[in-house]
Amino acid sequence: MTTLLITSLLLIVALLFSLASYKNLFYQIKRTQNEVLARQAHWVAEGGLECGFSYLKESDDISSAKTSLSNCEALLNLDVLDIDNSNYIHSSYYQLAKKDLSKKVLFSPESYGAIQTRSDLKLLGGITISPDVVNHISGNNYQCVSVKYSSKVEVIGDSKTNPPGAGYTNVTYSYPNVMSTAVCGSGYNTDTSDFDTDNTPPSLSGPVKKDFEHDPLLDPFESFFNKKRSEKSLLKSEFELVVGSIKPATDEDRCANRINNALATSSKVWVVGDCDLHGDSLGILGIPKILVFENGLVGASGSVTYDGAVYHLIDDPNFYDISLNSRWSNMTSSSFYAHLLDDNSVFFANGAFVPTGGIVFDTPGGVTTYNTSLALTYNRSFNPYAPKYKVQWLKGSWHDF
């Protein structure tokens, strides 16, 4: 009996220890299952972020992407997938486990800057630029770019970058979700005078701030036209072709008149050769259009009104082999500014020639000069070539590699 009693007690103790261990084991199993469900919910929610991001990359536009997000919700059985006005993608899964994820997306246009230049840019007078809006920083602050350049910019006079909406209340920006009350963030609002960006590199704290962006590898052709340089002949087929004019026999034969005749039938005009614009208006105001000047000098004297974009292209390898001075002397308007020309001047505006859709000087080796108080109110919507947007996660997000 003693043996049976001791044996029974030992078995009871063993049973108690077994029950205790099983309880702990059941607890661990439950925790494991909960962790599995939590991770499943996490990855389903992250799948929603990736799905939404993919639609954004395809459409380059938030409003278009929003209409497709229901496909992601149905595919992944998500409860919420949306993009808010601050460019955050929100993904929520509330099934056996709950998970909410939010990540911010940046929209960067591949072609940006109120002025883009591969030539030396000289601004002989005060300038005020309402710049291109590139990226959202935080709150109501945005990254602005006034001039993007690869060579050198010289400003002799006062320079100021106006915040979007400040003094230009009628300007509408095509950057996603930018309101007219947006302002250029600190470090993107140059306000200085008599500086040379070749000697004073742009910085957030320097006199020349980051709205003057230096890019030694700038090559704007493909990002602007969405075509390779090798496809230039195909690109020209989309334009109305015009032969330039510098010494017209009659007023009707002036370069601006030739351009206006072409603009009457097309919003895209391609001018081949030298063109003396004088001070004539170009096209109807308020209608987006684009002018391309190919392998020619461009001169203007007086105020030239133009709502549209301008692309000045020089890609002839022999363009600079012969002195350009004699070609400038044939321009009737050059008598007003001949003393200010450089040996390799390719564009000279002796007055307010201000393309509201932006201007690109794809003229390496040349000098582009504005001899005026330039007030450029940039509006991307006046460019018929809407820029493609590069969509990327905000730096520091989980997909940061």
Side-chain angles (χ1 to χ4, degrees):
M1 290 178 63
T2 302
T3 302
L4 288 173
L5 180 61
I6 294 172
T7 303
S8 299
L9 290 173
L10 291 174
L11 289 173
I12 291 171
V13 171
L15 178 61
L16 291 175
F17 276 110
S18 297
L19 290 175
S21 64
Y22 272 117
K23 184 178 180 181
N24 185 60
L25 178 61
F26 288 143
Y27 173 74
Q28 293 298 330
I29 290 173
K30 287 177 65 177
R31 286 195 60 180
T32 302
Q33 291 300 320
N34 288 341
E35 185 66 22
V36 169
L37 292 175
R39 297 313 297 167
Q40 287 176 342
H42 174 86
W43 288 111
V44 171
E46 281 211 344
L49 294 180
E50 283 285 10
C51 190
F53 184 78
S54 298
Y55 275 114
L56 283 175
K57 293 201 72 169
E58 282 186 2
S59 61
D60 294 339
D61 178 73
I62 288 180
S63 58
S64 300
K66 278 187 174 182
T67 61
S68 304
L69 294 183
S70 58
N71 298 332
C72 298
E73 288 182 345
L75 180 66
L76 298 170
N77 200 23
L78 290 166
D79 293 273
V80 176
L81 183 61
D82 194 17
I83 306 171
D84 65 18
N85 291 332
S86 297
N87 298 339
Y88 277 92
I89 303 179
H90 300 280
S91 178
S92 300
Y93 179 79
Y94 299 148
Q95 305 300 321
L96 296 175
K98 294 183 178 181
K99 189 65 178 181
D100 293 296
L101 289 178
S102 297
K103 300 296 179 185
K104 188 171 183 177
V105 174
L106 293 179
F107 289 82
S108 301
E110 293 185 359
S111 176
Y112 60 88
I115 298 175
Q116 300 180 55
T117 178
R118 296 179 73 197
S119 64
D120 290 352
L121 179 62
K122 296 176 69 174
L123 302 171
L124 308 179
I127 65 169
T128 302
I129 299 177
S130 183
D132 194 3
V133 179
V134 181
N135 276 321
H136 180 241
I137 300 174
S138 64
N140 207 31
N141 296 298
Y142 288 81
Q143 175 188 352
C144 300
V145 176
S146 303
V147 179
K148 188 176 183 181
Y149 66 100
S150 64
S151 182
K152 183 174 68 173
V153 178
E154 292 178 280
V155 178
I156 315 294
D158 295 330
S159 169
K160 183 172 183 178
T161 297
N162 271 5
Y168 298 103
T169 55
N170 295 324
V171 176
T172 302
Y173 294 92
S174 59
Y175 176 80
N177 298 318
V178 172
M179 308 302 293
S180 61
T181 55
V183 297
C184 296
S186 176
Y188 295 93
N189 47 4
T190 295
D191 186 357
T192 187
S193 63
D194 296 331
F195 65 82
D196 182 338
T197 55
D198 188 43
N199 299 323
T200 308
S203 69
L204 290 174
S205 57
V208 183
K209 300 189 184 299
K210 287 290 189 178
D211 54 305
F212 279 70
E213 182 176 313
H214 182 230
D215 180 2
L217 302 177
L218 176 64
D219 189 355
F221 190 95
E222 185 173 345
S223 59
F224 186 91
F225 292 112
N226 296 324
K227 283 186 172 60
K228 299 183 183 297
R229 288 184 182 272
S230 59
E231 300 176 293
K232 188 177 77 171
S233 297
L234 176 62
L235 175 66
K236 289 175 70 171
S237 66
E238 302 175 6
F239 286 74
E240 189 76 19
L241 297 183
V242 169
V243 177
S245 170
I246 59 172
K247 206 168 187 178
T250 64
D251 283 346
E252 186 61 30
D253 201 35
R254 288 156 76 108
C255 194
N257 284 333
R258 294 185 181 185
I259 291 172
N260 282 325
N261 291 335
L263 286 173
T265 59
S266 174
S267 62
K268 300 176 181 180
V269 175
W270 192 290
V271 182
V272 180
D274 299 340
C275 180
D276 193 345
L277 293 172
H278 295 276
D280 301 329
S281 295
L282 299 173
I284 300 173
L285 294 179
I287 298 178
K289 46 192 166 290
I290 181 171
L291 273 175
V292 177
F293 297 98
E294 180 191 17
N295 292 325
L297 307 178
V298 179
S301 184
S303 177
V304 179
T305 304
Y306 176 69
D307 278 344
V310 165
Y311 197 102
H312 190 194
L313 172 65
I314 293 178
D315 58 1
D316 180 356
N318 302 316
F319 188 84
Y320 299 103
D321 289 351
I322 301 175
S323 173
L324 303 180
N325 294 328
S326 59
R327 292 165 64 177
W328 279 111
S329 63
N330 286 328
M331 286 198 185
T332 54
S333 69
S334 69
S335 59
F336 296 101
Y337 51 81
H339 60 291
L340 295 173
L341 290 168
D342 291 272
D343 290 338
N344 55 339
S345 288
V346 293
F347 181 102
F348 199 101
N350 191 46
F353 176 44
V354 184
T356 53
I359 186 164
V360 179
F361 300 109
D362 191 358
T363 53
V367 175
T368 296
T369 305
Y370 266 92
N371 183 38
T372 179
S373 293
L374 176 63
L376 174 56
T377 303
Y378 177 74
N379 188 336
R380 189 179 295 157
S381 64
F382 281 115
N383 182 356
Y385 283 97
K388 292 178 63 179
Y389 284 96
K390 180 173 59 178
V391 184
Q392 57 189 359
W393 294 112
L394 176 67
K395 187 173 178 61
S397 295
W398 62 274
H399 197 154
D400 189 24
F401 54 86

